[in-house]
Amino acid sequence: MNKTVVTVLLILILLSCEDKSPRSSVPYAPVNFTLQLNSYDNILNNPLTYKVYLEKDRRLPTDRFGFSGLLVVTDATGDAIYAYDLCCPVESRKNVTVIPQNNGKAECPECGSVFITIYGSFIPGMGMVGLGSPESGPAATNNLPLKSYNIMPLQNGEFRIFN
């Protein structure tokens, strides 16, 4: 009797452990980059600003920029920073990247999808994570947000972007 109850409980526990994290259509690529708001990246101290980072922007041999590069944005207050992969999740091709706008949005020139980049949330152990919500276009129809990366505050105006 006890063996049957334990077996049933184990099966129920295993069935309830479904992975509910959103899957991205953008292929995995490592991200490891440090923002320096007191020097190189001081533009990101302002509200509604953005900066794009590509392989050519490597500062250290360990720097990694995701699949198509990084899009780093600030919110409307300038207090929060979010990081996304530049790759459009509809196109999922390395050379098709979203183009950031000065209004907290980014648009894909290929499919026309528009993404809102200035909202996110703090997740303990992960830091700030952007939402990259689709506003219009095929990404909105298929509920495909931009792939976002974690941002953890370090010290002295430095932030680490990672996945």
Side-chain angles (χ1 to χ4, degrees), residues 54-126:
L54 305 170
E55 290 295 323
K56 67 180 180 67
D57 299 313
R58 186 180 306 263
R59 297 175 189 160
L60 300 171
T62 56
D63 288 347
R64 300 291 179 265
F65 299 93
F67 185 65
S68 294
L70 292 174
L71 168 60
V72 179
V73 301
T74 59
D75 69 356
T77 65
D79 293 333
I81 302 172
Y82 307 109
Y84 303 96
D85 201 289
L86 282 168
C87 184
C88 173
V90 173
E91 301 298 326
S92 299
R93 296 187 315 230
K94 191 173 186 82
N95 64 336
V96 179
T97 59
V98 296
I99 299 169
Q101 312 294 315
N102 289 324
N103 60 359
K105 297 179 183 181
E107 183 174 357
C108 174
E110 192 81 15
C111 72
S113 292
V114 175
F115 304 89
I116 302 170
T117 59
I118 60 170
Y119 299 111
S121 61
F122 180 81
I123 299 174
M126 294 172 65

Side-chain angles (χ1 to χ4, degrees), residues 133-150:
S133 305
E135 180 182 70
S136 62
T141 303
N142 297 304
N143 195 26
L144 295 171
L146 290 174
K147 182 173 192 146
S148 73
Y149 297 116
N150 307 317

Side-chain angles (χ1 to χ4, degrees), residues 4 11 17 19 22-23 30 39-40 52-53 82 91 96 100 103 110 113 118 121 132 134 137 143 152 158:
T4 305
I11 290 172
C17 293
D19 183 10
R23 298 284 178 212
S39 59
Y40 296 113
V52 171
Y53 301 91
Y82 307 109
E91 301 298 326
V96 179
N103 60 359
E110 192 81 15
S113 292
I118 60 170
S121 61
N143 195 26
M152 185 68 69
E158 291 189 349

Side-chain angles (χ1 to χ4, degrees), residues 14 27 29 31 83 99 129:
L14 290 174
V31 174
I99 299 169
V129 178

